[in-house]
């Protein structure tokens, strides 16, 4: 079982501030915490913790943020040989949280959007049987998205979580990836935005485009799964919710773990809900990701 991720790499910097300043105002930082992230990266870390051999295709700058992002993969046992180091800034998200819990976020995509196909050692990457894709913001160009559209042809197994950035780009732009997707992992809002119809009907369209398994994330209602022969709603685990950041990424890790181990789709859905339930009981996207299941 081997899986490689391909998506953005971001360092989330959470600033606890006395207030979120308006124009011409000044606020003060009380504390800063750093959280390595990126949606596909979180999923790959989840898979690595569960014992899957993993690596990641992504781009970082030659800065301190990039060093932290690469080191976090090394600590998690995720292969970094496909990480591209470039001139420029690593992706960051500056998240300002005031005393009442209000948030303001500034995202710097940095070098994330500039991954050219010729920068990826595709032949070596193909030793991983499954490639997992999530969205790039595409604020600084389409190179990374275009590389994803091309690389999906090279893999037998492709999983794809569009996230809102790709859902907003529309079906025409995403068609190439979806047609090459084995396991499609959207949230309800994302699949309905992409297909402009109810998620159940949209899932039918996905199957006719060649997708094998559609798993729609339904937040506090769990998930709903559709294949050519089966349809199943899988109830979530009842847990005390602390922070839902990364719930969808954790779900993907659990679902794909089950898929790679040959579980039936309901079993995969339960594992997705289970790993997500661990994630949301802790603060941050990676903290709660389990090291073994059951
Ligand atoms: N309140 C909750 N109780 C139990 N499980 C939950 C709850 N909220 C989310 N989950 C679990 O997390 C999974 C993913 O959540 P959600 O549907 O919000 O994904 P998402 O919109 O992709 O999230 P993200 O913002 O992390 O990308 C759900 O399918 C479910 O298993
Ligand atoms: Mg999501």
């Amino acid at each position: 079982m081997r899986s490689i991720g391909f998506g953005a790499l971001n360092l989330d910097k959470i600033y606890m501030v006395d207030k979120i300043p308006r124009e011409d105002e000044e606020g003060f930082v009380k504390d800063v915490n750093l959280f390595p992230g990126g949606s596909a990266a979180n999923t790959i870390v989840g898979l690595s913790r569960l014992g899957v051999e993993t690596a990641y295709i992504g781009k970082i700058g030659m800065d301190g943020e990039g060093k932290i992002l690469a080191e976090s993969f090394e600590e998690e046992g995720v292969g970094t040989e496909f990480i591209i180091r470039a001139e420029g800034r690593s992706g960051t998200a500056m998240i300002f949280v005031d005393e009442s819990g209000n948030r303001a976020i500034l995202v710097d995509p940095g070098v994330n959007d500039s991954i050219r196909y010729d920068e990826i050692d595709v032949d070596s990457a193909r030793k991983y049987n499954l490639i997992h894709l999530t969205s790039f913001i595409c604020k600084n160009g389409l190179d990374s998205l275009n590389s994803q559209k091309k690389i999906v042809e090279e893999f037998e197994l492709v999983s794809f979580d569009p996230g809102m950035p790709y859902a907003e780009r529309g079906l025409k732009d995403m068609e190439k990836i979806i047609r090459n997707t084995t396991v499609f992992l959207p949230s309800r809002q994302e699949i309905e935005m992409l297909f402009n119809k109810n998620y159940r009907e949209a899932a039918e369209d996905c199957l006719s485009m060649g997708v094998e398994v559609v798993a729609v994330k339904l937040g506090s209602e769990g998930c709903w799964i559709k294949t050519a022969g089966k349809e199943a709603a899988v109830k979530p685990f009842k847990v005390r919710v602390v922070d839902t950041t990364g719930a969808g990424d954790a779900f993907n890790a659990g679902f794909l773990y089950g898929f790679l181990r040959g579980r039936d789709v309901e079993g995969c859905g339960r594992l997705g809900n289970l790993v997500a339930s661990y994630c949301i009981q802790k603060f941050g996207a990676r903290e709660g990701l389990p090291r073994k299941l059951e």
Side-chain angles (χ1 to χ4, degrees):
M1 286 199 311
R2 291 168 167 180
S3 176
I4 189 163
F6 183 1
L9 278 170
N10 295 305
L11 187 64
D12 289 349
K13 302 181 179 180
I14 304 204
Y15 293 89
M16 308 306 292
V17 297
D18 66 335
K19 69 170 180 184
I20 294 167
R22 291 169 182 275
E23 208 179 321
D24 293 328
E25 279 186 0
E26 197 169 281
F28 294 95
V29 176
K30 299 192 295 184
D31 198 11
V32 189
N33 283 294
L34 305 180
F35 295 92
S39 182
N42 295 337
T43 297
I44 287 297
V45 165
L47 286 169
S48 179
R49 286 193 192 176
L50 293 173
V52 177
E53 192 182 328
T54 56
Y56 202 78
I57 301 168
K59 199 179 241 190
I60 55 179
M62 291 178 209
D63 48 16
E65 289 81 356
K67 196 160 172 275
I68 293 170
L69 289 164
E71 280 171 2
S72 77
F73 274 154
E74 279 152 20
E75 283 162 19
E76 296 285 355
V78 177
T80 54
E81 63 269 37
F82 301 95
I83 302 285
I84 304 150
R85 282 150 232 259
E87 294 284 341
R89 297 184 306 278
S90 299
T92 53
M94 285 152 274
I95 302 160
F96 303 95
V97 186
D98 73 10
E99 281 151 3
S100 317
N102 301 307
R103 279 169 182 245
I105 304 180
L106 285 170
V107 177
D108 177 4
V111 296
N112 273 302
D113 291 325
S114 65
I115 303 173
R116 295 187 321 272
Y117 196 71
D118 64 33
E119 292 180 293
I120 307 167
D121 181 357
V122 179
D123 272 340
S124 306
R126 289 183 62 195
K127 79 168 188 187
Y128 294 86
N129 21 16
L130 179 137
I131 188 165
H132 177 66
L133 309 180
T134 60
S135 49
F136 287 94
I137 303 286
C138 302
K139 282 270 184 265
N140 294 331
L142 296 173
D143 282 349
S144 298
L145 170 56
N146 287 334
S147 296
Q148 289 180 319
K149 288 181 183 178
K150 205 162 167 188
I151 207 168
V152 288
E153 289 173 0
E154 301 299 323
F155 285 80
E156 202 70 41
L157 297 176
V158 176
S159 57
F160 177 41
D161 179 341
M164 282 310 275
Y166 280 3
E168 283 166 357
R169 298 188 74 82
L171 186 57
K172 215 162 165 39
D173 202 4
M174 288 303 123
E175 190 177 340
K176 173 80 197 295
I177 296 177
I178 296 172
R179 284 194 186 282
N180 286 281
T181 292
T182 322
V183 182
F184 188 43
L185 297 157
S187 69
R188 175 178 181 167
Q189 189 190 10
E190 289 153 9
I191 192 173
E192 293 190 339
M193 177 176 282
L194 266 173
F195 287 84
N196 198 24
K197 52 178 82 162
N198 177 280
Y199 69 95
R200 290 165 184 267
E201 294 163 26
E204 297 276 3
D205 291 5
C206 293
L207 297 186
S208 64
M209 290 168 78
V211 175
E212 275 177 38
V213 185
V214 183
V216 181
K217 287 166 271 187
L218 303 176
S220 59
E221 283 163 52
C223 65
W224 179 83
I225 302 159
K226 176 99 187 160
T227 65
K230 213 181 219 174
E231 192 181 302
V234 187
K235 292 249 165 308
F237 290 83
K238 287 203 168 63
V239 294
R240 201 173 67 89
V241 181
V242 174
D243 175 19
T244 59
T245 305
D249 308 333
F251 176 92
N252 297 342
F255 194 96
L256 293 172
Y257 177 76
F259 182 80
L260 288 168
R261 303 204 88 179
R263 297 280 186 96
D264 65 20
V265 286
E266 279 158 298
C268 295
R270 270 195 300 279
L271 286 169
N273 288 342
L274 180 62
V275 174
S277 77
Y278 286 128
C279 170
I280 62 182
Q281 291 176 76
K282 292 273 168 68
F283 191 80
R286 296 185 183 176
E287 179 68 19
L289 294 173
R291 288 188 164 76
K292 65 170 194 268
L293 290 176
E294 268 96 41

